[in-house]
Amino acid sequence: MRVRKVANAPVSFGVFELSDGPPPLTPDEMVRALAEAGYEGIDSGPIGYLGTGSELRERLSGAGLLLCGGWVDLPFHDADAYEKALPTLTAALDVFAAAPAGDLPPRPTIACPGTPERFARPGGTAPGLPAAEWPAFAARIQDATERCRARGFEPAFHHHLGTHVETPDDVERLLELTDVQLCLDTGHLLLAGGDPVAALRAWSERVGHVHIKDGDTAVLARALDDGVDLRELMGRGGFAPLGEGELDLPAVVRTLDEIGYAGWIVIEQDTLPGRRTVAQNIADQAANRRKLKDLGL
């Protein structure tokens, strides 16, 4: 039987890093808001935000939510830095292992950090990883994949604006050189010049996790003209509420049905703290959930 569940994520409320200062919502406020909006799961956000061990398990169980996974970026481009960063992967997997058990386990969403050039000019216009460096880069991604599998988790790699895996061509190279599954993010792909619907069909056998996010290329164009970076693009609304950008959401949902996708569907709307009120963010995510429900998800 195909099992699909819908989750949301702390990034929709501007929670990216614990070092950014006090989050706009406490963990209990966030899980309560998402549960009341009809979500079945939540992304971890920065590791530790939702708690660890029994604290995490009790918090999510009390709200009736499962952990859908979480972001773990590792410097795959640098062999020494990668080895030094491996404890962060172990710590994240420890958190995932403590989450409430459910019929869909958490999916580690491994990724690479931003590069200065691409973070400054997101959208696929800045140079990417040199071709000669791809084999070693991909080998480290494969190593991280195997480490996740050894702990009983099947990871998915998250392509992302501002990173070495940003454009559709980058994703194709990643899929060619590894056997990691893909976390297909519709908004990041859209703003990197891709077609999310065509990508779902082309990469259907490798799609193991889905982030549904809208994008506005007009906001991206203005951001590039103004010389602002990826962070400010998010603050300006480059990732719009579902239905307010250019994503063909009904076609995405139909295509998920066509390819028989089973797994987590994570609604995200990346934004910065302070750009919208907490009440607006909560309302946005409730409205985003209704839009998917109206389409049968």
Side-chain angles (χ1 to χ4, degrees), residues 269-292:
Q269 186 185 332
D270 299 4
T271 188
L272 295 186
R275 297 301 179 95
R276 297 175 69 78
T277 68
V278 169
Q280 287 173 321
N281 284 332
I282 290 174
D284 280 347
Q285 302 323 308
N288 285 341
R289 182 67 190 97
R290 288 193 298 272
K291 286 184 175 108
L292 270 198

Side-chain angles (χ1 to χ4, degrees), residues 216 218-241 269-272 275-276:
D216 191 326
V219 175
L220 172 63
R222 289 194 296 271
L224 293 174
D225 287 344
D226 293 343
V228 301
D229 63 13
L230 174 57
R231 185 174 175 86
E232 178 60 20
L233 170 66
M234 293 187 291
R236 292 183 176 196
F239 297 113
Q269 186 185 332
D270 299 4
T271 188
L272 295 186
R275 297 301 179 95
R276 297 175 69 78

Side-chain angles (χ1 to χ4, degrees), residues 230-254:
L230 174 57
R231 185 174 175 86
E232 178 60 20
L233 170 66
M234 293 187 291
R236 292 183 176 196
F239 297 113
L242 293 183
E244 295 184 19
E246 294 157 56
L247 180 69
D248 188 343
L249 183 61
V252 167
V253 173
R254 287 196 303 272

Side-chain angles (χ1 to χ4, degrees), residues 145-162:
T145 299
E146 299 299 341
R147 290 172 185 270
C148 292
R149 289 171 178 164
R151 290 286 302 273
F153 295 102
E154 186 63 36
F157 191 94
H158 191 316
H159 59 94
H160 198 283
L161 290 182

Side-chain angles (χ1 to χ4, degrees), residues 96-162:
F96 300 155
D103 48 4
L104 286 180
R107 299 297 300 267
T109 48
I110 58 175
C112 45
T115 75
E117 299 81 9
R118 283 189 158 182
F119 196 90
R121 288 193 62 80
T125 61
L129 191 70
E133 296 182 26
W134 262 99
F137 174 78
R140 287 186 279 273
I141 293 172
Q142 187 66 44
D143 178 73
T145 299
E146 299 299 341
R147 290 172 185 270
C148 292
R149 289 171 178 164
R151 290 286 302 273
F153 295 102
E154 186 63 36
F157 191 94
H158 191 316
H159 59 94
H160 198 283
L161 290 182

